[in-house]
Amino acid sequence: LTFDICIYDEAHKTTGSTDKQFSLLLDDTFNITKRLFMTATPKKYSNKDEIESYSMDDILIYGSIINELNIRDAIDNKLLVDYEIITPITNNKQLLSYMKYNKLGKLEDYQKDLYDFVMISSALLLLKNIENNNTIKKVLTYHQSVKEATSFKNLLLRLKPKFTKLSDLDINILTGAETMRNRIKLIDQFKKNS
């Protein structure tokens, strides 16, 4: 059996160990005439000679790059919106002091719901920054799983009433499990809210 073309979306998942599941279509077991690899996060390994692994800079496996668009060019060409990454840095002592001063309860009140220190800190700092900064109109957070995103959303909803200026703040979640109709509705709602 010969395949005319194999399209590898999220092709970076094929890199690394040669025996992982995502790499199976790279070996000669499958007769594939043409291969197209697509990824926004190409992975290259410097130790590929030491261990048997695939690296996206291996032209014999992945071929030559036919098109490349970096984030800066995508933003300049209005294919992506510009963004700012804010990394909150705090410690347990600062968080506890902040919570006590703002009458937000005890850390244990939140940890019993399986929120961890980083999540609680991030949620508090995010809400406080939104409350103190009139220029913040829209916030997007990204999480590794739907479970984490849902948990963070629920934490924000739980903390929101403690911030008096945020009564109109809309907090929602968008996942791949949503129907296309709901996705469009949520995205339109996000666009309109200011």
Side-chain angles (χ1 to χ4, degrees), residues 127 152-161 169 171-172:
L127 292 172
F152 193 70
K153 173 196 164 190
N154 291 338
L155 178 59
L156 290 173
L157 288 170
R158 186 172 165 191
L159 289 168
K160 179 182 152 183
L169 181 66
I171 299 171
N172 219 318

Side-chain angles (χ1 to χ4, degrees), residues 127-165:
L127 292 172
K128 194 64 177 168
N129 275 306
I130 294 170
E131 184 177 62
N132 292 341
N133 187 338
N134 291 334
T135 63
I136 298 176
K137 302 295 182 197
K138 297 182 185 336
V139 176
L140 176 69
T141 66
Y142 178 80
H143 303 268
Q144 289 185 6
S145 69
V146 173
K147 183 180 177 184
E148 282 183 26
T150 303
S151 185
F152 193 70
K153 173 196 164 190
N154 291 338
L155 178 59
L156 290 173
L157 288 170
R158 186 172 165 191
L159 289 168
K160 179 182 152 183
K162 301 186 184 287
F163 294 84
T164 54
K165 296 180 186 175

Side-chain angles (χ1 to χ4, degrees), residues 31-47:
N31 292 323
I32 301 171
T33 307
K34 300 271 184 187
R35 299 169 194 255
L36 177 64
F37 299 95
M38 301 181 303
T39 184
T41 52
K43 288 189 177 176
K44 299 172 185 173
Y45 292 89
S46 59
N47 64 340

Side-chain angles (χ1 to χ4, degrees), residues 68-77 80:
E68 188 171 29
L69 180 66
N70 65 40
I71 291 175
R72 179 77 273 154
D73 290 339
I75 290 169
D76 291 345
N77 290 318
L80 291 175

